[in-house]
Amino acid sequence: MRNRNIVYIRVLLVVLSIVVLLAFINRSPRRTLHDTWLPSSFNPVGAGNMALFQTLQELKWPVERWREPLSRLSHYGTGNVLIITRSRLGSSINFSEQEVDLLDDWVKKGNTLLLLGALGEWDDTRMFLRQIGFTVPDKTDSVSDFLQPFERETEQTMDVQRADSTGKTGAMILPRTAPLPLTFPADARILWQHNGEPFLIDVPRGAGHVICGASDRLLSNSFLGKGDNLAIVLQLLTPAGQPPHHLFFEESHHGFSAVYAMIRLLGHPGVRFAGMLALLGALAFLGSSLVRFGPVIPLHRELL
């Protein structure tokens, strides 16, 4: 009986070791400092927007990093702003079709989505643009796409002009980039343009708005202080003329998720099978112990 218990314990330890090893392999992704292209509020250099996040904190704005599932956005009511940025150099995690629908429904209830970056470069952002009324052609690879990873940070800049309909002035400085699609919803309003091409568009959706921008670098550490970029960004983040109830920087699709790796790991069929084996091993060990020591016999105090 003793040898049988030792075998059970060894099998249980092997199974648990496999589960721990898989959890380590599938641990939450962590970005390193060389990912200077990542437009994240965790990124203090390059295209990161940590400077904007910290500036808003100093201004006492209700700013937070969003790392939860998008379905939980509805728990915060209306009057909120969500910032989503997408680099032309890469994408960590794409939005699913269900997440696109969740974002659209969240906006329609009375919230604002600030969507900036290479929106025509990726399947998920093209899908979202089409859903809100843009006509976006399918992407075709070119020689310039192949050379993008080798381009330096010192890009040529351009001055983007405010559209006449806004009635305000200012200087928006952006790196040279492609404009937004020219075919946009009829009720949309061009906010900023360059040579007659749109670079910032406000699209009404139900009781809310989607503000689409052609460059994520408007929020970046390197461009936030150029021209009137900071003042322009603050205006974009106050669509109702006052700070939002909650201002979220979307980080889960940059690889910073609040869902622990072990929880995600439980969805893997192999891990569930290993967990079942561990449970069976534990039950076998406890069962053998009961057989060895016998059932529990209550002690009657009157016999003492």
Side-chain angles (χ1 to χ4, degrees):
M1 184 67 68
R2 180 180 179 184
N3 292 335
R4 185 184 300 175
N5 287 339
I6 294 176
V7 172
Y8 288 151
I9 292 174
R10 288 178 177 176
V11 172
L12 182 60
L13 290 176
V14 169
V15 174
L16 291 177
S17 299
I18 294 175
V19 173
V20 172
L21 179 62
L22 290 175
F24 177 78
I25 295 175
N26 292 273
R27 65 190 186 277
S28 297
R30 293 182 180 179
R31 295 291 166 185
T32 55
L33 290 179
H34 67 265
D35 291 330
T36 57
W37 57 269
L38 191 67
S40 164
S41 63
F42 287 106
N43 186 4
V45 296
N49 45 46
M50 179 181 282
L52 174 61
F53 184 85
Q54 294 178 344
T55 299
L56 294 173
Q57 282 184 321
E58 294 174 358
L59 295 175
K60 306 302 181 182
W61 280 44
V63 59
E64 304 174 47
R65 291 182 171 103
W66 185 266
R67 295 185 287 171
E68 303 287 342
L70 294 177
S71 58
R72 299 180 184 176
L73 281 171
S74 59
H75 298 169
Y76 292 84
T78 60
N80 306 311
V81 175
L82 176 68
I83 299 175
I84 296 179
T85 50
R86 178 61 64 85
S87 172
R88 65 185 178 90
L89 298 181
S91 172
S92 300
I93 303 174
N94 290 338
F95 291 94
S96 65
E97 185 175 351
Q98 180 183 10
E99 288 176 322
V100 169
D101 293 335
L102 286 172
L103 285 174
D104 195 19
D105 293 339
W106 178 77
V107 170
K108 290 178 179 178
K109 292 177 180 177
N111 298 289
T112 299
L113 174 62
L114 182 59
L115 184 63
L116 303 178
L119 307 182
E121 298 291 323
W122 311 101
D123 293 337
D124 57 338
T125 50
R126 287 200 303 272
M127 176 174 57
F128 185 78
L129 288 180
R130 291 190 181 107
Q131 181 154 329
I132 64 176
F134 283 84
T135 301
V136 186
D138 294 331
K139 184 179 183 300
T140 57
D141 295 332
S142 62
V143 176
S144 60
D145 297 327
F146 175 77
L147 295 176
Q148 279 182 1
F150 303 99
E151 295 181 359
R152 295 185 176 181
E153 293 286 336
T154 56
E155 300 167 315
Q156 295 181 357
T157 61
M158 59 182 183
D159 296 338
V160 182
Q161 298 81 34
R162 192 185 293 266
D164 294 338
S165 58
T166 62
K168 299 180 181 179
T169 60
M172 178 187 291
I173 310 298
L174 294 177
R176 183 172 53 84
T177 187
L180 292 169
L182 290 175
T183 307
F184 46 84
D187 57 347
R189 182 166 58 99
I190 300 178
L191 302 180
W192 292 82
Q193 61 187 1
H194 179 68
N195 293 334
E197 296 178 317
F199 278 80
L200 202 64
I201 296 179
D202 182 1
V203 182
R205 295 290 291 176
H209 294 264
V210 178
I211 301 176
C212 300
S215 177
D216 60 286
R217 302 297 295 276
L218 175 63
L219 311 182
S220 68
N221 302 322
S222 56
F223 275 83
L224 187 64
K226 294 181 181 293
D228 299 313
N229 285 2
L230 177 58
I232 294 169
V233 170
L234 294 180
Q235 292 174 6
L236 295 176
L237 298 178
T238 54
Q242 57 185 358
H245 298 152
H246 299 275
L247 173 57
F248 301 114
F249 283 69
E250 209 286 327
E251 295 290 350
S252 62
H253 288 78
H254 289 320
F256 301 99
S257 176
V259 179
Y260 293 101
M262 184 61 72
I263 297 178
R264 294 199 306 269
L265 199 61
L266 293 178
H268 194 282
V271 175
R272 290 201 298 266
F273 180 71
M276 182 184 65
L277 291 179
L279 179 61
L280 291 176
L283 292 176
F285 173 73
L286 294 176
S288 64
S289 299
L290 291 176
V291 172
R292 177 181 178 183
F293 297 105
V296 177
I297 301 176
L299 178 63
H300 300 284
R301 294 185 177 274
E302 58 271 12
L303 297 178
L304 295 177

